[in-house]
């Protein structure tokens, strides 16, 4: 038997000394949890409780907390004896007081928040801040030392656990899954993580399904299913199921210690055999998990006013709700707190005694001090190749086409090679579809299940993460970032809304982390949206929706970034910046289809640095004068940029006496004022691009109202006339999508004619011609099932366009 197995065997037997210290730590944590929910004074019960000691508002959740503390206490014992690196993810949303209590007992809370001392005064401040103005939330959050998991929205604990251990071979993520959380869609879909967990170069996830029987007002599904069905469910997922049941003490301590030791021993056995090189590994291991059945509200009031509380959904939140007004309830609260025997747990000063602190792992082994849970401490810069090596040659603007995201795929291929343990692509079964398949030149898809001879780029050693779940891909990358590594989540634009709530929650995490000096900055969450609303030709309306832009835009400027590169070189420049940035949510939107290329790499770098620029080559201003143009055509987004450039060319060739300026925006947030977003352009630059009074016809990739929101507060904002996606979609041709959404080049020309303050000869004729073109388009696509050649094959070519315009004007 190996030393690990010997150690696991020893750990399975709980000594009297360990029992005493684990139980004391658990009692101390339960005491702290109750105190956080109820007390604003008298934290050590040095006096009998009085109404003035009770908070005016009783907020928080008791029911799940004792179970979370029980697991934490035993996990700490395991760490003390083995030196195992472990992080703790509390899935049950509002078990926060158990986790903050753990960090106070471990001393890390005082290190991060020096005003919260480990004494009576500090304990009072600790209690008062919980779920209180100017304090902390009731769930495990960014303010909780040791947490990488926001417990406010249920469903992601297990997803984050797997993301944390990818390429982290020495780490175990203990993920406590609440049985209410187990009912959510994301959690139901996250058990498959072991199908992607490689025991050679990844760490391990130890799920603990905590079945305490109830959610906020009803029983939970899994707690009421027959145990044999629950076991079969998880064995079907591929787990070795270890069950611990009961509420008796000290029996539960002994049984859980044995279960945890067995699980750890099995994990170490799997890893040792896989890493030995000669273990003859075949297929996915059967990883252990624990099902813990304990009473909801364990150790709390059993009955209140003749109603059963402990073990029911009634223990979920505040079991004694009227303690400030009801003397009987107040006495019950005092007896409840006294049941933990605080005089054995805290010394005269209020600090935890040695019997309690003996259970704390030393230094950074304590889960509240784990560097992996503050991943910026471990982050190393991504080894980025020189993007000059990937430049797309642009002999002249808008004359050649390239699949821009394919160029990004080549960059990521080399990122995989140069960063073999700290970079991954996460994509819901769409890597090739989104033209990122170059990564398969250096890495297969990660796959721990069976492989057949028909499979392509699929192996147990692969590190490209493809699973048909936006929730898994998004959440895996979140945790990969939060533990200090880099990556990209790529998905179809419309289906980014499936995981939009995760994007929002992660942005909120980063926003709050920015106010905590001890939270080190982490690699940014980079999201690429391709297969966009404008080019989902065969998929239709269900695949057409740019809504994530609006979700990200609502977040604080110190976090949210939105980029709409118009071509491949701009995408390279944006990607370099995104991969180098820290603690941002970088949303990059660019389609995968062949698209016109506009800028050299040098021009793209300067354009992206500014965020927005005048494209002089696309307009017809006389640059030798200071005269303002007659009309400005603005654009943000690849397809609408092409329509804008084409519209400008139409105006130049058909109405040469009308002066047209084209402004392209690549960093959407530059349109905002500097006081609204740190990327917002100055008033002087905004005036340089858009003047103070010339009308602007702005064509936008997303919803038109977004532009109006961004330019709020700029001079004379009513002069901005926005076109964009207006929820008109179907299975149709690419150009028909812009026509249906009234954002085609012909619509833009008509808008320019309507909104130019200076009227010139030929406007009425050109407007009529554009209207005829739209009519012709409607007939053509029905007859030919494709777009008109002058649209489909359009490039910026002066001679051919003049000839075509002359021919069409005669129709």
């Amino acid at each position: 038997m190996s030393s690990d197995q010997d150690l696991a065997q020893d750990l399975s037997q709980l000594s009297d000394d360990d029992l005493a210290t684990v139980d004391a730590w658990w009692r101390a944590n339960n005491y702290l949890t109750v105190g956080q929910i109820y007390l604003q004074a008298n934290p050590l019960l040095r006096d009998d409780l009085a109404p003035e000691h009770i908070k005016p508002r009783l907020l928080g959740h008791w029911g799940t907390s004792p179970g979370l503390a029980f697991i934490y206490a035993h996990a700490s014992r395991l760490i003390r004896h083995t030196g195992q690196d472990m992080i703790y993810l509390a899935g049950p949303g509002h078990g926060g007081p158990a986790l903050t209590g753990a960090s106070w007992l471990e001393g890390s809370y005082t290190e991060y928040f020096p005003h919260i001392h480990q004494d009576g005064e500090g304990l009072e401040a600790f209690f008062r801040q919980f779920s209180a103005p100017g304090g902390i939330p009731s769930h495990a959050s960014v303010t909780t030392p040791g947490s990488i998991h926001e417990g406010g929205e249920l469903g992601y604990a297990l997803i984050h656990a797997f993301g944390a251990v990818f390429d982290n071979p020495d780490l175990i993520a203990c993920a406590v899954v609440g049985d209410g959380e187990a009912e959510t869609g994301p959690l139901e879909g996250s058990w498959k993580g072991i199908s992607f967990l490689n025991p050679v170069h990844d760490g391990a996830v130890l799920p603990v399904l905590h079945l305490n029987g109830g959610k906020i007002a009803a029983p939970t599904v899994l707690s009421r299913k027959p145990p044999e069905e629950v076991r079969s469910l998880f064995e079907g997922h591929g787990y070795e199921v270890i069950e611990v049941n009961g509420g008796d003490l000290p029996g539960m301590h002994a049984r859980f210690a044995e279960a945890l030791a067995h699980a750890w021993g099995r994990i170490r056995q799997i890893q040792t055999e896989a890493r030995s090189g000669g273990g003859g590994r075949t297929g996915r291991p059967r990883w252990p998990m624990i099902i813990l059945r304990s009473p909801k509200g364990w150790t709390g009031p059993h009955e209140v006013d003749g109603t059963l509380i402990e073990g029911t959904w009634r223990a979920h939140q505040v079991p004694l709700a009227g303690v400030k007004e009801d003397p009987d309830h107040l006495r019950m609260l005092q007896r409840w707190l006294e049941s933990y025997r605080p005089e054995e747990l805290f010394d005269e000063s209020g600090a935890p005694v040695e019997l309690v602190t003996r259970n704390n792992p030393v230094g950074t082994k304590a889960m509240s001090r784990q560097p992996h849970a503050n991943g910026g401490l471990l982050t190393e810069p991504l080894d980025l190749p020189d993007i000059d090596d990937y430049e797309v040659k642009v002999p002249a603007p808008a004359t050649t086409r390239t699949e821009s995201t394919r160029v990004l795929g080549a960059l990521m291929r080399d990122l995989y090679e140069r960063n073999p343990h700290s970079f991954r692509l996460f994509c819901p079964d769409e890597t090739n579809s989104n033209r990122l398949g170059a990564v398969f030149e250096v890495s297969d898809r990660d796959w721990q299940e069976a492989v057949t001879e028909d499979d392509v780029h699929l192996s147990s050693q692969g590190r490209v993460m493809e699973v048909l779940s936006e929730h898994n891909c998004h959440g895996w990358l979140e945790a990969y970032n939060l533990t200090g590594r880099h990556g990209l989540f790529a998905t179809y634009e419309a289906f980014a809304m499936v995981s939009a709530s995760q994007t929002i929650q992660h942005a909120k995490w980063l926003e709050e982390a920015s106010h905590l000096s001890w939270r080190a900055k982490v690699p940014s969450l980079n999201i690429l949206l391709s297969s966009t609303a404008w080019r989902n030709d065969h998929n239709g309306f269900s695949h057409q929706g740019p809504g994530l832009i609006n979700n990200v835009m609502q977040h604080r400027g110190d976090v949210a970034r939105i980029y709409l590169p118009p071509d491949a070189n701009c995408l390279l420049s944006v990607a370099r910046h995104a991969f180098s940035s820290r603690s941002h949510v970088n949303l990059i939107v660019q389609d995968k289809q062949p698209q016109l290329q506009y800028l050299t790499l040098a021009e793209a770098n300067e354009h992206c640095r500014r965020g927005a620029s005048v494209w002089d080559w696309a307009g017809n201003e006389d640059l030798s004068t200071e005269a303002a143009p007659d009309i400005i055509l603005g654009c943000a987004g690849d397809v609408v940029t092409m329509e804008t450039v084409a519209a400008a060319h139409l105006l130049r060739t058909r109405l040469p006496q009308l002066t047209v300026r084209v402004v392209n925006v690549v960093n959407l947030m530059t349109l905002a004022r500097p006081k609204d977003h740190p990327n917002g352009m100055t008033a002087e630059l905004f005036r340089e691009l858009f003047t103070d009074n010339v009308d602007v016809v702005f064509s936008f990739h997303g919803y038109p109202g977004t532009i109006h929101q961004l330019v709020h507060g700029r001079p004379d904002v009513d002069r901005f006339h926005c076109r964009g996606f207006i929820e008109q979609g179907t299975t149709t041709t690419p150009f028909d999508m812009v026509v249906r959404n009234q954002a085609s080049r012909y619509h833009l020309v008509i808008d320019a004619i309507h909104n130019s303050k200076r009227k010139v000869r030929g406007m009425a004729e050109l407007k009529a011609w554009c209207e005829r073109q739209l009519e012709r388009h409607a007939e053509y696509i029905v007859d030919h099932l494709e777009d008109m050649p002058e649209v489909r094959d359009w490039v910026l070519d002066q001679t051919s366009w003049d000839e075509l315009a002359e021919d069409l004007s005669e129709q």
Side-chain angles (χ1 to χ4, degrees), residues 301-310 312 314 319-320 326 328-329 332 335:
H302 187 67
E303 288 187 2
V304 177
D305 299 334
T307 299
L308 183 64
I309 301 295
E310 186 181 20
T312 76
R314 295 181 183 89
L320 296 168
D326 187 329
D328 290 336
H329 282 201
M332 289 181 68
R335 290 196 296 272

Side-chain angles (χ1 to χ4, degrees), residues 448-639:
Q448 305 303 314
E449 301 290 351
V451 177
T452 73
E453 61 183 16
D454 297 321
D455 293 325
V456 177
H457 294 306
L458 196 70
S459 76
S460 63
Q461 298 305 310
R463 294 178 60 257
V464 177
M465 309 305 291
E466 277 197 352
V467 59
L468 197 50
S469 164
E470 288 80 7
H471 289 124
N472 274 307
C473 290
H474 194 298
W476 287 347
L477 177 56
E478 288 174 39
Y480 201 70
N481 290 156
L482 289 172
T483 48
R485 283 78 56 70
H486 310 259
L488 178 79
F489 168 49
T491 187
Y492 286 8
E493 182 180 40
F495 301 127
M497 294 304 291
V498 173
S499 54
S501 183
Q502 291 177 281
T503 310
I504 293 168
Q505 292 295 326
H506 191 75
K508 289 183 176 182
W509 175 283
L510 295 176
E511 288 168 3
E512 290 304 301
S514 69
H515 304 301
L516 300 170
S517 60
W518 54 272
R519 282 281 184 188
K521 290 186 177 296
V522 295
S524 295
L525 176 69
N526 300 312
I527 303 173
L528 172 70
L529 305 185
S530 198
S531 299
T532 64
W534 301 99
R535 290 301 307 266
N536 255 291
D537 312 345
H538 65 284
N539 286 313
F541 199 27
S542 65
H543 286 55
Q544 295 160 350
L548 192 66
I549 290 174
N550 294 76
N551 281 286
V552 172
M553 198 180 77
Q554 305 308 316
H555 286 275
R556 297 174 195 163
D558 52 1
V559 170
R561 302 287 186 271
I562 302 171
Y563 301 100
L564 296 114
D567 65 4
N569 288 327
C570 287
L571 178 58
L572 285 172
S573 187
V574 164
R576 176 180 58 187
H577 174 74
F579 286 137
S580 302
S581 68
R582 294 288 182 272
S583 292
H584 291 163
V585 172
N586 294 313
L587 181 63
I588 305 169
V589 186
Q590 188 164 42
D591 195 62
K592 64 188 182 183
Q593 300 293 347
Q595 51 190 207
L596 289 173
Q597 303 297 305
Y598 306 102
L599 305 180
T600 66
L601 184 57
E603 292 167 339
N605 285 332
E606 178 61 17
H607 180 46
C608 293
R609 185 191 65 80
R610 291 168 59 93
S613 305
V614 175
W615 283 2
D616 291 320
W617 54 265
N620 65 343
E621 292 181 87
D622 183 352
L623 302 182
S624 66
T625 73
E626 297 292 329
D630 294 316
I631 195 74
I632 298 172
L633 301 184
C635 51
D638 45 15
V639 168

Side-chain angles (χ1 to χ4, degrees), residues 252-300:
M252 281 291 282
H253 282 304
R255 293 194 292 276
F256 194 78
E258 182 179 9
L260 190 59
H262 175 79
W264 180 81
R266 180 69 184 123
I267 288 169
R268 294 298 300 135
Q269 181 183 16
I270 290 169
Q271 293 176 334
T272 300
E273 291 176 355
R275 296 169 188 177
S276 66
R281 175 175 170 245
T282 57
R284 169 189 46 77
R286 186 166 285 273
W287 294 94
M289 68 168 288
I290 297 173
I291 298 177
L292 171 64
R293 293 181 176 88
S294 66
K296 193 174 185 71
W298 195 11
T299 75

Side-chain angles (χ1 to χ4, degrees), residues 74-304:
H74 281 271
S76 293
R77 171 181 174 260
L78 175 75
I79 295 167
R80 282 192 293 114
H81 285 281
T82 64
Q84 176 66 56
D85 284 325
M86 183 179 288
I87 59 173
Y88 190 92
L89 296 97
H94 291 280
L99 276 297
T100 53
S103 61
W104 189 85
L105 290 173
E106 290 177 335
S108 59
Y109 208 92
T110 300
E111 293 170 14
Y112 297 135
F113 302 98
H115 66 288
I116 306 291
H117 317 136
Q118 275 196 319
D119 58 21
E121 181 184 350
L123 199 56
E124 181 173 313
F126 185 60
F127 287 176
R128 286 178 63 88
Q129 71 169 2
F130 178 77
S131 278
I136 62 172
S138 66
H139 45 87
S141 70
V142 66
T143 61
T144 307
S147 176
I148 63 163
H149 175 70
E150 175 70 57
E153 180 178 338
L154 300 181
Y156 311 121
L158 199 53
I159 297 173
H160 288 157
F162 281 106
V165 302
F166 292 139
D167 295 321
N168 247 343
D170 299 323
L171 183 66
I172 292 179
C174 178
V176 184
V177 177
D179 49 357
E181 180 186 29
E183 296 178 4
T184 66
L187 202 289
E188 284 275 17
S190 62
W191 295 102
K192 68 176 68 71
I194 54 173
S195 296
F196 302 87
L197 192 68
N198 186 317
V200 176
H201 54 64
D202 298 332
V205 173
L206 177 59
V208 181
L209 175 62
H210 185 205
L211 297 181
N212 62 26
K215 43 187 183 278
I216 194 167
T220 57
V221 173
L222 290 179
S223 70
R224 292 294 176 89
K225 280 184 175 293
E228 59 272 17
E229 288 189 5
V230 178
R231 172 182 282 273
S232 295
L233 173 65
F234 293 105
E235 287 179 341
H237 278 302
Y239 290 91
E240 175 190 346
V241 179
I242 307 163
E243 297 181 76
V244 180
N245 307 318
D248 58 302
L249 296 168
M252 281 291 282
H253 282 304
R255 293 194 292 276
F256 194 78
E258 182 179 9
L260 190 59
H262 175 79
W264 180 81
R266 180 69 184 123
I267 288 169
R268 294 298 300 135
Q269 181 183 16
I270 290 169
Q271 293 176 334
T272 300
E273 291 176 355
R275 296 169 188 177
S276 66
R281 175 175 170 245
T282 57
R284 169 189 46 77
R286 186 166 285 273
W287 294 94
M289 68 168 288
I290 297 173
I291 298 177
L292 171 64
R293 293 181 176 88
S294 66
K296 193 174 185 71
W298 195 11
T299 75
H302 187 67
E303 288 187 2
V304 177

Side-chain angles (χ1 to χ4, degrees), residues 421-468:
H421 309 297
S422 60
F423 179 84
R424 290 202 189 198
L425 168 66
F426 301 81
C427 189
D429 194 34
E430 298 153 359
T431 300
N432 279 326
S433 176
N434 284 326
R435 311 300 192 262
L436 304 175
V439 294
F440 295 130
E441 296 172 22
V442 296
S443 176
D444 291 331
R445 297 174 178 88
D446 179 4
W447 188 250
Q448 305 303 314
E449 301 290 351
V451 177
T452 73
E453 61 183 16
D454 297 321
D455 293 325
V456 177
H457 294 306
L458 196 70
S459 76
S460 63
Q461 298 305 310
R463 294 178 60 257
V464 177
M465 309 305 291
E466 277 197 352
V467 59
L468 197 50

Side-chain angles (χ1 to χ4, degrees), residues 708-729:
H708 291 291
Q709 181 179 342
L710 284 167
V711 299
H712 172 75
R714 296 294 191 179
D716 189 14
V717 293
D718 286 345
R719 64 195 172 96
F720 279 78
H721 315 281
C722 301
R723 297 280 181 173
F725 188 76
I726 54 175
E727 289 294 341
Q728 295 299 312

